Amino acid sequence: MGKKSTADDVAAAVRHHARLRTWREAEARITAVMSDPEVRRLGEEIRQEETRLGLELRPALQPFKDQYDRAVREGNIDVLTRTCHGKHGRWGRICVLTAGHESVALHWGITVEGQPVAWVGSAPDDD
């Protein structure tokens, strides 16, 4: 194959610049929205409610966490593959319920601090 033409190099550079500019603009807008006092207040309110629900549901759902902890310790792949895929790494939480529960129950699990938490929905980083 021959060397790229100057026109191809210029077109590639323009596309690269446009992508970078789009990302910078998106980050600036997201930062502006997330720094809004009302958005921050609502985020804190949601966090508090998720914590309250997590604590409230703990007596009924603790056996799922115990099962999950045992499976991790013992490397029980069968149990781990049946566990919910609601792993929200960005927010430091993992759902310990059985896969498929979403149509009848909230996600319930633990935070990185080991505290119970309950939440609705999924996130872009669900794996």
Side-chain angles (χ1 to χ4, degrees):
M1 289 267 165
K3 190 176 179 180
K4 281 186 176 179
S5 71
T6 302
D8 289 341
D9 292 339
V10 169
V14 168
R15 285 191 303 273
H16 177 73
H17 176 73
R19 276 193 304 276
L20 289 177
R21 182 177 175 188
T22 300
W23 275 107
R24 281 192 300 268
E25 289 174 2
E27 286 176 351
R29 289 186 176 122
I30 290 168
T31 299
V33 168
M34 295 307 291
S35 64
D36 179 89
E38 183 64 7
V39 170
R40 294 176 74 182
R41 184 190 69 74
L42 290 171
E44 180 58 22
E45 192 174 312
I46 290 168
R47 188 196 64 73
Q48 289 174 0
E49 184 61 15
E50 289 174 340
T51 300
R52 186 192 68 73
L53 280 171
L55 289 167
E56 182 180 307
L57 295 169
R58 183 182 218 163
L61 300 177
Q62 183 67 37
F64 288 98
K65 181 181 179 311
D66 296 342
Q67 174 182 296
Y68 176 81
D69 289 345
R70 264 192 315 280
V72 169
R73 264 193 322 274
E74 297 168 2
N76 188 332
I77 301 300
D78 185 48
V79 170
L80 293 173
T81 57
R82 289 192 322 259
T83 301
C84 176
H85 299 291
K87 295 160 187 66
H88 303 281
R90 183 175 184 180
W91 292 278
R93 52 180 64 174
I94 183 166
C95 181
V96 296
L97 301 180
T98 304
H101 72 85
E102 299 88 349
S103 63
V104 294
L106 302 168
H107 288 288
W108 186 87
I110 53 171
T111 65
V112 291
E113 295 85 18
Q115 296 301 311
V117 62
W119 71 98
V120 176
S122 60
D125 64 337
D126 267 0
D127 293 319

